[in-house]
Amino acid sequence: MALDTETPLNSLGFAKPPSETRVVVAMSGGVDSSVVAAYLADQGYDVVGVTLQLYDHGAALAKKGACCAGIDIHDARRVAEERGFPHYVLDYENIFKDAVIDEFADSYLAGATPVPCIRCNERVKFKDLLETAKDLEADCMATGHYIQRKMGANGPELHSAEDANRDQSYFLFSTTPEQLNFLRFPLGHLPSKDATREMAAQYGLSVADKPDSQDICFVPDGNYASVIEKLRPGAAEPGEIVHADGRVLAQHDGVIHYTIGQRRGLGIGGLSEPLYVVKLDVDKKQVVVGPKEMLATRVVPVREINWLGDEPFSSRDEWHLSVKVRSTRPPREAIIRPLSDTTAEIELLTPEEGISPGQACVFYANEGSRVFGGGWIWRGY
């Protein structure tokens, strides 16, 4: 009788030695993806580093706090040289502009509050780059995102990171089951960012103390309005700041300078009650303000849903899960009522303030760390 000599799975889940397992690592030039590449190379994997040039890095060369700029390409290349694996830079400027920047500008002008980092993951990194990884005959693609991929009864599942402070599940809700099969997230189980930096120091990486990127990569100074004005000349047309009861309170110099929930910088002091931006009416060029209670929302329409549950989304009338309506807020219990396979009405058990079209609504298990996907908040008409 022959002995069972089945090859054990390696740390990336393949039944072959690391040296025969090719993994493409998406390298932004920051400490997270650099540690992933160094860690996998150290384990003996056939690592190929890939960095995306997403916009004119010459203009951003000297700007700190933004990923994928010229200095970041240099840092990624240096890590690859230090650790002895190949590294490629891919020019994705046109893809990025078409798939991310143009929609960002248009949705912002329409009074929404877009989250371009999600669209970038969905339409660029986990689509075009993932296909490039397959063209390079990779077995999988690894990233430095803080999120976990766990094997469940029905295949790989998406789970939030071990460190709640670093968790990036909100930005990765649109990862499909097919993509999840191919992706790996080696940092998701770490207890803290300090642990990542310790690994970087152990590997002697030049980026070990590099600061985290804070801003959207093509808005390095955080000034959204100036970027929109460059992309869409004439966008900052003046108009009125109007109270919800119809009173004209002041003038503004462009709807693009305001966001739902904003209180400071409205230029309408001297009133008895604090006022907040409750609506942006782009067609009328009006910024509508009102008392805080007007920001509270209980019912949220959501579309373009990516569902990661084990049963079809529309197989139930209701799903009792928790949802995040902003990346900075904890999940809150809700009832999700499917209207189709990709649309739903979300009833929040506790009303939330400042919910804005253009933000994501991400679904979580009430207990445990599993992520069930999510969708995009819209106006519902």
Side-chain angles (χ1 to χ4, degrees), residues 6 13 40 59 80 100 102 104 119-121 123 135 174 182 207 213 238 253 291 310 312 327 329 350 372 377:
E6 185 178 335
L40 294 173
V100 180
D102 283 345
F104 169 83
R119 289 300 197 196
C120 182
N121 290 327
R123 296 176 174 175
D135 290 342
S174 61
F182 195 71
V207 294
S213 58
D253 55 3
D310 298 327
S327 62
R329 296 184 183 175
T350 305
F372 283 90
I377 298 168

Side-chain angles (χ1 to χ4, degrees), residues 42 52 63 88 117 130 152 172 230 233 294 316 359 378:
D42 190 58
L52 303 183
K63 291 178 181 173
Y88 301 100
C117 301
L130 195 138
L172 297 167
K230 284 186 188 126
M294 286 191 70
R316 294 191 197 177
Q359 295 281 312
W378 68 302

Side-chain angles (χ1 to χ4, degrees), residues 299-355:
V299 177
V300 183
V302 175
R303 62 185 175 184
E304 290 184 68
I305 288 170
N306 178 56
W307 177 245
L308 295 176
D310 298 327
E311 306 162 46
F313 182 57
S314 53
S315 65
R316 294 191 197 177
D317 292 333
E318 293 183 350
W319 295 91
H320 291 252
L321 296 168
S322 293
V323 302
K324 259 191 188 188
V325 291
R326 284 212 171 171
S327 62
T328 53
R329 296 184 183 175
R332 303 277 176 85
E333 286 191 38
I335 300 169
I336 300 169
R337 297 188 175 93
L339 301 175
S340 72
D341 288 340
T342 57
T343 59
E345 189 174 82
I346 317 292
E347 182 184 344
L348 306 172
L349 300 193
T350 305
E352 288 251 16
E353 293 175 351
I355 294 175

Side-chain angles (χ1 to χ4, degrees), residues 206-253:
S206 52
V207 294
D209 297 318
K210 185 174 179 176
D212 291 342
S213 58
Q214 301 294 333
D215 299 312
I216 294 169
C217 66
F218 58 92
V219 194
D221 56 0
N223 188 345
Y224 289 29
S226 67
V227 171
I228 303 295
E229 285 183 70
K230 284 186 188 126
L231 292 168
R232 301 287 185 271
E237 294 181 11
E240 297 172 336
I241 298 179
V242 182
H243 194 284
D245 64 14
R247 287 178 290 150
V248 176
L249 301 178
Q251 301 294 309
H252 66 75
D253 55 3

